[in-house]
Coordinates of all heavy atoms in Angstrom, one line a residue:
V244 N -46.8 -45.1 2.2 CA -47.6 -44.0 1.9 C -48.9 -44.2 2.7 O -49.5 -45.2 2.7 CB -48.0 -44.0 0.4 CG1 -49.0 -42.9 0.0 CG2 -46.7 -43.8 -0.5
I245 N -49.4 -43.1 3.2 CA -50.6 -43.1 4.0 C -51.8 -43.1 3.0 O -52.0 -42.1 2.2 CB -50.7 -41.9 5.0 CG1 -49.6 -42.1 6.0 CG2 -52.1 -41.8 5.6 CD1 -49.5 -41.0 7.0
A246 N -52.6 -44.1 3.0 CA -53.7 -44.3 2.1 C -54.9 -43.5 2.5 O -55.7 -43.1 1.6 CB -54.0 -45.8 1.9
R247 N -55.2 -43.4 3.8 CA -56.4 -42.8 4.3 C -56.2 -42.3 5.7 O -55.5 -43.0 6.5 CB -57.5 -43.8 4.3 CG -58.8 -43.2 4.7 CD -60.0 -44.2 4.6 NE -59.7 -45.3 5.5 CZ -60.1 -46.6 5.3 NH1 -60.8 -46.9 4.2 NH2 -59.9 -47.5 6.2
V248 N -56.7 -41.2 6.1 CA -56.7 -40.7 7.4 C -58.1 -40.5 7.9 O -58.9 -39.8 7.3 CB -56.0 -39.3 7.5 CG1 -56.0 -38.7 8.9 CG2 -54.5 -39.4 7.1
E249 N -58.5 -41.3 8.9 CA -59.9 -41.3 9.5 C -60.1 -40.0 10.2 O -59.3 -39.6 11.1 CB -60.1 -42.4 10.4 CG -60.1 -43.8 9.7 CD -61.3 -44.0 8.7 OE1 -62.3 -43.4 9.0 OE2 -61.1 -44.7 7.7
P250 N -61.2 -39.3 10.0 CA -61.5 -38.1 10.8 C -61.5 -38.4 12.3 O -62.1 -39.4 12.7 CB -62.8 -37.7 10.3 CG -62.9 -38.3 8.9 CD -62.2 -39.6 9.0
G251 N -60.9 -37.6 13.1 CA -60.9 -37.8 14.5 C -59.9 -38.7 15.0 O -59.8 -38.9 16.2
S252 N -59.1 -39.4 14.2 CA -58.1 -40.4 14.6 C -56.9 -39.7 15.1 O -56.7 -38.4 14.9 CB -57.7 -41.2 13.4 OG -57.1 -40.5 12.4
A253 N -56.0 -40.5 15.7 CA -54.7 -39.9 16.1 C -53.9 -39.3 15.0 O -53.3 -38.2 15.1 CB -53.8 -40.9 16.8
A254 N -54.0 -39.9 13.8 CA -53.3 -39.4 12.6 C -53.9 -38.1 12.2 O -53.1 -37.1 11.9 CB -53.4 -40.4 11.5
D255 N -55.2 -38.0 12.2 CA -55.9 -36.7 11.9 C -55.5 -35.6 12.9 O -55.1 -34.5 12.5 CB -57.4 -36.9 11.9 CG -58.2 -35.7 11.5 OD1 -57.7 -34.9 10.7 OD2 -59.3 -35.6 12.0
H256 N -55.5 -35.9 14.2 CA -55.1 -34.9 15.2 C -53.7 -34.4 15.1 O -53.4 -33.3 15.3 CB -55.3 -35.5 16.6 CG -56.7 -35.8 17.0 ND1 -57.1 -36.8 17.8 CD2 -57.9 -35.2 16.6 CE1 -58.4 -36.8 17.9 NE2 -58.9 -35.9 17.2
A257 N -52.8 -35.3 14.6 CA -51.4 -35.0 14.4 C -51.2 -34.2 13.1 O -50.1 -33.6 12.9 CB -50.5 -36.2 14.4
G258 N -52.1 -34.2 12.2 CA -52.0 -33.5 11.0 C -51.5 -34.3 9.8 O -51.1 -33.7 8.8
L259 N -51.5 -35.6 9.9 CA -51.1 -36.4 8.8 C -52.1 -36.3 7.7 O -53.3 -36.1 7.9 CB -50.9 -37.9 9.2 CG -49.7 -38.2 10.1 CD1 -49.8 -39.6 10.7 CD2 -48.4 -38.0 9.4
K260 N -51.6 -36.5 6.5 CA -52.5 -36.3 5.3 C -52.4 -37.5 4.4 O -51.4 -38.2 4.3 CB -52.1 -35.1 4.5 CG -52.0 -33.8 5.2 CD -53.3 -33.2 5.5 CE -53.2 -31.9 6.2 NZ -54.4 -31.5 6.9
T261 N -53.5 -37.8 3.7 CA -53.5 -38.9 2.7 C -52.4 -38.5 1.7 O -52.3 -37.4 1.2 CB -54.9 -39.0 2.0 OG1 -55.8 -39.3 3.0 CG2 -54.9 -40.0 0.9
G262 N -51.5 -39.5 1.4 CA -50.5 -39.3 0.4 C -49.1 -39.0 1.1 O -48.1 -39.1 0.4
D263 N -49.1 -38.7 2.4 CA -47.9 -38.5 3.1 C -47.0 -39.9 3.0 O -47.6 -40.9 3.2 CB -48.1 -38.2 4.6 CG -48.5 -36.7 4.8 OD1 -48.5 -36.0 3.8 OD2 -48.8 -36.4 6.0
L264 N -45.8 -39.7 2.9 CA -44.8 -40.9 2.9 C -44.1 -40.8 4.2 O -43.3 -39.9 4.4 CB -43.9 -40.8 1.7 CG -42.8 -41.9 1.6 CD1 -43.4 -43.3 1.4 CD2 -41.9 -41.6 0.5
V265 N -44.2 -41.9 5.0 CA -43.5 -41.9 6.3 C -42.0 -42.3 6.0 O -41.8 -43.4 5.4 CB -44.2 -42.9 7.3 CG1 -43.4 -42.9 8.6 CG2 -45.6 -42.5 7.5
V266 N -41.1 -41.5 6.3 CA -39.7 -41.6 6.1 C -39.0 -42.3 7.3 O -38.2 -43.2 7.2 CB -39.0 -40.3 5.7 CG1 -37.5 -40.5 5.5 CG2 -39.7 -39.7 4.5
T267 N -39.3 -41.8 8.5 CA -38.7 -42.3 9.7 C -39.8 -42.4 10.8 O -40.8 -41.7 10.9 CB -37.6 -41.5 10.2 OG1 -38.0 -40.2 10.7 CG2 -36.5 -41.3 9.2
V268 N -39.5 -43.4 11.7 CA -40.3 -43.5 13.0 C -39.3 -43.5 14.1 O -38.4 -44.4 14.2 CB -41.1 -44.8 13.0 CG1 -41.8 -45.0 14.4 CG2 -42.1 -44.9 11.9
N269 N -39.4 -42.6 15.0 CA -38.5 -42.4 16.1 C -37.1 -42.5 15.7 O -36.2 -43.1 16.3 CB -38.8 -43.5 17.2 CG -40.1 -43.2 17.9 OD1 -40.6 -42.1 18.0 ND2 -40.8 -44.3 18.3
G270 N -36.8 -41.8 14.6 CA -35.4 -41.7 14.1 C -34.9 -42.9 13.2 O -33.8 -42.9 12.7
L271 N -35.7 -44.0 13.1 CA -35.3 -45.1 12.3 C -36.0 -45.1 11.0 O -37.2 -44.9 10.9 CB -35.7 -46.4 13.1 CG -35.1 -46.6 14.4 CD1 -35.7 -47.9 15.1 CD2 -33.5 -46.7 14.3
A272 N -35.2 -45.4 9.9 CA -35.7 -45.3 8.5 C -36.8 -46.4 8.4 O -36.7 -47.5 8.9 CB -34.6 -45.6 7.5
V273 N -37.9 -46.0 7.7 CA -39.0 -47.0 7.4 C -38.8 -47.5 6.0 O -38.8 -46.7 5.0 CB -40.4 -46.2 7.5 CG1 -41.5 -47.2 7.1 CG2 -40.6 -45.8 8.9
R274 N -38.7 -48.8 5.8 CA -38.5 -49.4 4.5 C -39.8 -49.9 3.9 O -39.9 -50.0 2.7 CB -37.5 -50.6 4.6 CG -36.1 -50.1 5.0 CD -35.1 -51.3 5.0 NE -35.5 -52.3 6.0 CZ -35.2 -52.3 7.3 NH1 -34.4 -51.3 7.7 NH2 -35.5 -53.2 8.1
D275 N -40.8 -50.2 4.7 CA -42.1 -50.8 4.2 C -43.2 -50.6 5.2 O -42.9 -50.2 6.3 CB -41.9 -52.2 3.7 CG -41.5 -53.1 4.8 OD1 -41.8 -52.9 6.0 OD2 -40.7 -54.1 4.5
S276 N -44.4 -50.8 4.7 CA -45.6 -50.6 5.6 C -45.6 -51.6 6.8 O -46.0 -51.2 7.9 CB -46.9 -50.8 4.8 OG -46.9 -52.1 4.2
A277 N -45.0 -52.8 6.6 CA -45.0 -53.7 7.8 C -44.1 -53.2 8.9 O -44.5 -53.3 10.1 CB -44.5 -55.1 7.3
Q278 N -43.0 -52.6 8.5 CA -42.1 -52.0 9.6 C -42.8 -50.9 10.3 O -42.7 -50.7 11.5 CB -40.8 -51.5 8.9 CG -39.8 -51.0 9.9 CD -38.6 -50.5 9.2 OE1 -38.6 -50.2 8.0 NE2 -37.5 -50.4 10.0
L279 N -43.6 -50.1 9.6 CA -44.3 -48.9 10.2 C -45.3 -49.5 11.1 O -45.5 -49.0 12.2 CB -44.9 -48.1 9.1 CG -45.9 -47.0 9.6 CD1 -45.1 -46.0 10.5 CD2 -46.5 -46.2 8.4
R280 N -46.1 -50.5 10.7 CA -47.2 -51.1 11.5 C -46.5 -51.7 12.8 O -47.1 -51.5 13.9 CB -47.9 -52.2 10.8 CG -49.0 -51.7 9.9 CD -49.9 -52.7 9.4 NE -49.2 -53.9 8.8 CZ -48.9 -53.9 7.5 NH1 -49.1 -52.9 6.7 NH2 -48.2 -55.0 7.0
N281 N -45.4 -52.4 12.7 CA -44.7 -53.0 13.8 C -44.3 -51.9 14.8 O -44.5 -52.0 16.0 CB -43.6 -53.8 13.4 CG -44.0 -55.1 12.7 OD1 -45.1 -55.6 12.9 ND2 -43.1 -55.7 12.0
A282 N -43.7 -50.8 14.3 CA -43.2 -49.7 15.2 C -44.4 -49.1 15.9 O -44.3 -48.9 17.1 CB -42.5 -48.7 14.4
I283 N -45.5 -48.9 15.3 CA -46.7 -48.3 15.9 C -47.3 -49.3 16.9 O -47.6 -49.0 18.0 CB -47.7 -47.8 14.9 CG1 -47.1 -46.8 14.0 CG2 -49.0 -47.3 15.6 CD1 -46.6 -45.5 14.6
G284 N -47.3 -50.6 16.5 CA -47.9 -51.7 17.2 C -47.2 -51.9 18.5 O -47.8 -52.4 19.5
L285 N -45.9 -51.7 18.5 CA -45.1 -51.9 19.7 C -45.1 -50.8 20.7 O -44.6 -50.9 21.8 CB -43.6 -52.2 19.4 CG -43.4 -53.5 18.6 CD1 -42.0 -53.7 18.1 CD2 -43.8 -54.7 19.5
S286 N -45.8 -49.7 20.3 CA -45.9 -48.5 21.2 C -47.1 -48.7 22.1 O -48.0 -49.4 21.7 CB -46.1 -47.2 20.3 OG -45.0 -47.0 19.5
R287 N -47.1 -48.1 23.2 CA -48.2 -48.1 24.2 C -49.1 -47.0 23.9 O -48.7 -45.9 23.5 CB -47.7 -48.1 25.6 CG -46.8 -49.3 26.0 CD -46.3 -49.1 27.4 NE -45.5 -50.3 27.7 CZ -44.8 -50.4 28.9 NH1 -44.9 -49.5 29.7 NH2 -44.1 -51.5 29.0
I288 N -50.4 -47.2 24.3 CA -51.4 -46.2 24.2 C -50.9 -45.0 25.1 O -50.4 -45.2 26.2 CB -52.7 -46.7 24.6 CG1 -53.3 -47.7 23.6 CG2 -53.8 -45.5 24.8 CD1 -54.5 -48.4 24.0
G289 N -50.9 -43.8 24.5 CA -50.4 -42.6 25.2 C -49.0 -42.2 24.8 O -48.6 -41.1 25.1
D290 N -48.2 -43.2 24.2 CA -46.9 -42.9 23.8 C -46.9 -41.9 22.7 O -47.9 -41.9 21.9 CB -46.1 -44.1 23.3 CG -45.6 -45.0 24.4 OD1 -45.7 -44.7 25.6 OD2 -45.2 -46.2 24.1
E291 N -45.9 -41.0 22.6 CA -45.7 -40.2 21.4 C -44.7 -40.8 20.5 O -43.6 -41.2 20.9 CB -45.2 -38.8 21.9 CG -45.2 -37.8 20.7 CD -44.8 -36.4 21.2 OE1 -43.6 -36.2 21.4 OE2 -45.8 -35.6 21.5
V292 N -45.1 -40.9 19.2 CA -44.2 -41.5 18.2 C -43.8 -40.3 17.3 O -44.7 -39.5 16.9 CB -45.0 -42.5 17.4 CG1 -44.2 -43.1 16.2 CG2 -45.5 -43.7 18.3
K293 N -42.5 -40.2 17.1 CA -42.0 -39.1 16.3 C -41.8 -39.6 14.8 O -41.0 -40.5 14.6 CB -40.7 -38.6 16.9 CG -40.9 -38.0 18.2 CD -39.6 -37.5 18.8 CE -39.7 -37.1 20.2 NZ -40.7 -36.0 20.5
L294 N -42.5 -39.0 13.9 CA -42.5 -39.4 12.5 C -41.8 -38.2 11.7 O -41.9 -37.1 12.1 CB -43.8 -39.6 11.9 CG -44.8 -40.6 12.6 CD1 -46.1 -40.7 11.8 CD2 -44.1 -42.0 12.6
V295 N -41.2 -38.6 10.6 CA -40.8 -37.6 9.6 C -41.5 -38.1 8.3 O -41.4 -39.3 7.9 CB -39.3 -37.5 9.3 CG1 -39.0 -36.7 8.1 CG2 -38.6 -37.0 10.6
V296 N -42.3 -37.2 7.7 CA -43.1 -37.6 6.5 C -42.6 -36.7 5.4 O -42.2 -35.6 5.5 CB -44.6 -37.5 6.7 CG1 -45.1 -38.4 7.8 CG2 -45.0 -36.1 7.0
D297 N -42.6 -37.3 4.2 CA -42.4 -36.6 2.9 C -43.7 -36.2 2.4 O -44.5 -37.0 2.1 CB -41.6 -37.4 1.9 CG -41.3 -36.7 0.7 OD1 -42.2 -36.1 0.1 OD2 -40.1 -36.8 0.3
R298 N -44.0 -34.9 2.3 CA -45.2 -34.4 1.7 C -44.9 -33.4 0.6 O -44.4 -32.3 0.8 CB -46.0 -33.6 2.8 CG -47.4 -33.1 2.4 CD -48.1 -32.4 3.4 NE -48.4 -33.3 4.5 CZ -48.5 -32.9 5.8 NH1 -48.4 -31.6 6.2 NH2 -48.8 -33.8 6.7
G299 N -45.1 -33.9 -0.6 CA -44.9 -33.1 -1.8 C -43.4 -32.7 -2.0 O -43.1 -31.7 -2.5
G300 N -42.5 -33.6 -1.6 CA -41.1 -33.4 -1.8 C -40.4 -32.7 -0.6 O -39.2 -32.5 -0.7
S301 N -41.1 -32.3 0.4 CA -40.5 -31.7 1.6 C -40.8 -32.5 2.8 O -41.9 -33.1 2.9 CB -41.2 -30.3 1.9 OG -41.0 -29.4 0.8
E302 N -39.8 -32.7 3.6 CA -39.9 -33.5 4.8 C -40.4 -32.6 6.0 O -40.0 -31.5 6.2 CB -38.5 -34.1 5.2 CG -38.2 -35.2 4.2 CD -37.0 -36.0 4.7 OE1 -36.3 -35.7 5.7 OE2 -36.6 -37.0 4.0
H303 N -41.3 -33.2 6.7 CA -42.0 -32.5 7.9 C -42.0 -33.5 9.1 O -42.3 -34.6 9.0 CB -43.4 -32.2 7.6 CG -43.6 -31.4 6.4 ND1 -43.6 -30.0 6.4 CD2 -43.8 -31.8 5.0 CE1 -43.7 -29.6 5.1 NE2 -43.9 -30.6 4.3
P304 N -41.6 -32.9 10.3 CA -41.7 -33.7 11.5 C -43.1 -33.7 12.0 O -43.8 -32.7 11.9 CB -40.8 -33.0 12.5 CG -40.8 -31.6 12.0 CD -40.9 -31.7 10.5
V305 N -43.6 -34.9 12.4 CA -45.0 -35.0 12.9 C -44.9 -35.9 14.2 O -44.4 -37.0 14.2 CB -45.9 -35.7 11.9 CG1 -47.3 -35.8 12.4 CG2 -45.9 -34.9 10.6
N306 N -45.5 -35.4 15.3 CA -45.5 -36.2 16.5 C -47.0 -36.7 16.6 O -48.0 -35.9 16.5 CB -45.2 -35.3 17.7 CG -43.8 -34.9 17.7 OD1 -42.9 -35.5 17.2 ND2 -43.5 -33.7 18.2
V307 N -47.1 -38.0 16.8 CA -48.4 -38.7 16.9 C -48.5 -39.4 18.3 O -47.6 -40.1 18.7 CB -48.6 -39.7 15.8 CG1 -50.0 -40.4 15.9 CG2 -48.4 -39.1 14.4
R308 N -49.6 -39.1 19.0 CA -49.9 -39.7 20.3 C -50.7 -41.0 20.0 O -51.7 -40.9 19.3 CB -50.6 -38.8 21.2 CG -50.9 -39.5 22.5 CD -50.7 -38.7 23.8 NE -49.9 -37.5 23.8 CZ -48.6 -37.5 24.3 NH1 -48.1 -38.6 24.7 NH2 -47.9 -36.4 24.2
V309 N -50.1 -42.2 20.4 CA -50.8 -43.4 20.1 C -52.1 -43.5 20.9 O -52.2 -43.2 22.1 CB -49.9 -44.6 20.4 CG1 -50.6 -45.9 20.2 CG2 -48.6 -44.5 19.6
E310 N -53.2 -43.8 20.2 CA -54.5 -44.0 20.8 C -55.0 -45.4 20.6 O -54.6 -46.1 19.6 CB -55.5 -43.0 20.2 CG -55.2 -41.5 20.4 CD -56.1 -40.6 19.7 OE1 -57.1 -41.0 19.0 OE2 -55.9 -39.4 19.8
A311 N -56.0 -45.8 21.4 CA -56.6 -47.1 21.2 C -57.4 -47.1 19.8 O -58.0 -46.0 19.5 CB -57.6 -47.4 22.3
A312 N -57.4 -48.2 19.1 CA -58.1 -48.3 17.9 C -59.6 -48.3 18.2 O -60.0 -48.9 19.2 CB -57.7 -49.5 17.1
P313 N -60.4 -47.6 17.4 CA -61.8 -47.6 17.6 C -62.4 -49.0 17.4 O -61.8 -49.8 16.6 CB -62.4 -46.6 16.6 CG -61.4 -46.6 15.5 CD -60.0 -46.8 16.2
P314 N -63.5 -49.4 18.0 CA -64.1 -50.7 17.7 C -64.5 -50.8 16.2 O -64.8 -49.7 15.6 CB -65.2 -50.8 18.6 CG -65.6 -49.4 19.0 CD -64.3 -48.6 18.9
P315 N -64.5 -52.0 15.6 CA -64.9 -52.1 14.2 C -66.3 -51.7 14.1 O -67.2 -52.0 15.0 CB -64.6 -53.5 13.9 CG -64.5 -54.3 15.2 CD -64.1 -53.2 16.2
A316 N -66.7 -51.1 13.0 CA -68.1 -50.8 12.7 C -68.8 -52.1 12.5 O -68.3 -53.0 11.9 CB -68.1 -49.9 11.4
P317 N -70.1 -52.1 12.9 CA -70.9 -53.3 12.7 C -71.1 -53.6 11.3 O -71.3 -52.6 10.5 CB -72.2 -53.0 13.4 CG -72.2 -51.5 13.8 CD -70.8 -51.1 13.6
K318 N -71.1 -54.8 10.9 CA -71.3 -55.2 9.5 C -72.8 -55.1 9.2 O -73.6 -55.5 10.0 CB -70.8 -56.6 9.2 CG -69.3 -56.8 9.3 CD -68.9 -58.2 9.0 CE -67.4 -58.3 9.1 NZ -67.0 -59.6 8.7
K319 N -73.1 -54.6 8.0 CA -74.5 -54.5 7.6 C -74.9 -55.9 7.0 O -74.1 -56.4 6.2 CB -74.7 -53.4 6.5 CG -74.6 -52.0 7.0 CD -74.9 -51.0 6.0 CE -74.9 -49.6 6.6 NZ -75.2 -48.6 5.5
L320 N -76.0 -56.4 7.4 CA -76.5 -57.6 6.8 C -77.3 -57.3 5.5 O -77.9 -56.3 5.4 CB -77.4 -58.3 7.8 CG -76.8 -58.7 9.1 CD1 -77.8 -59.3 10.1 CD2 -75.7 -59.7 8.9
P321 N -77.2 -58.2 4.5 CA -77.9 -57.9 3.3 C -79.4 -57.9 3.6 O -79.9 -58.7 4.4 CB -77.5 -59.1 2.4 CG -76.8 -60.1 3.3 CD -76.4 -59.4 4.6
E322 N -80.1 -57.0 2.9 CA -81.5 -57.0 3.0 C -82.1 -58.1 2.3 O -81.6 -58.6 1.2 CB -82.0 -55.6 2.5 CG -81.6 -54.5 3.3 CD -82.2 -53.2 2.9 OE1 -83.3 -53.2 2.4 OE2 -81.6 -52.1 3.1
R323 N -83.3 -58.6 2.7 CA -83.9 -59.7 2.1 C -85.1 -59.3 1.2 O -85.6 -58.3 1.3 CB -84.5 -60.7 3.1 CG -83.4 -61.3 3.9 CD -84.0 -62.3 4.9 NE -82.9 -62.9 5.6 CZ -83.0 -64.0 6.3 NH1 -84.1 -64.7 6.2 NH2 -82.0 -64.4 6.9

């Protein structure tokens, strides 16, 4: 289940929504989140990944172009 979609991310550009359940990646069934992360992680930047997501009981094809992850946000230091 997609827990969050960052604005401006590849997932956002592809139309993924919070709550979507990824059913397949490139035609292979997804059993857990680790399998989904691995499939995406093995893709190259610029590759298109073909997903099928369950949204509200209906399956939808979604093509996502893999993008580089944004740099982590700087950590805020506690004020003194």
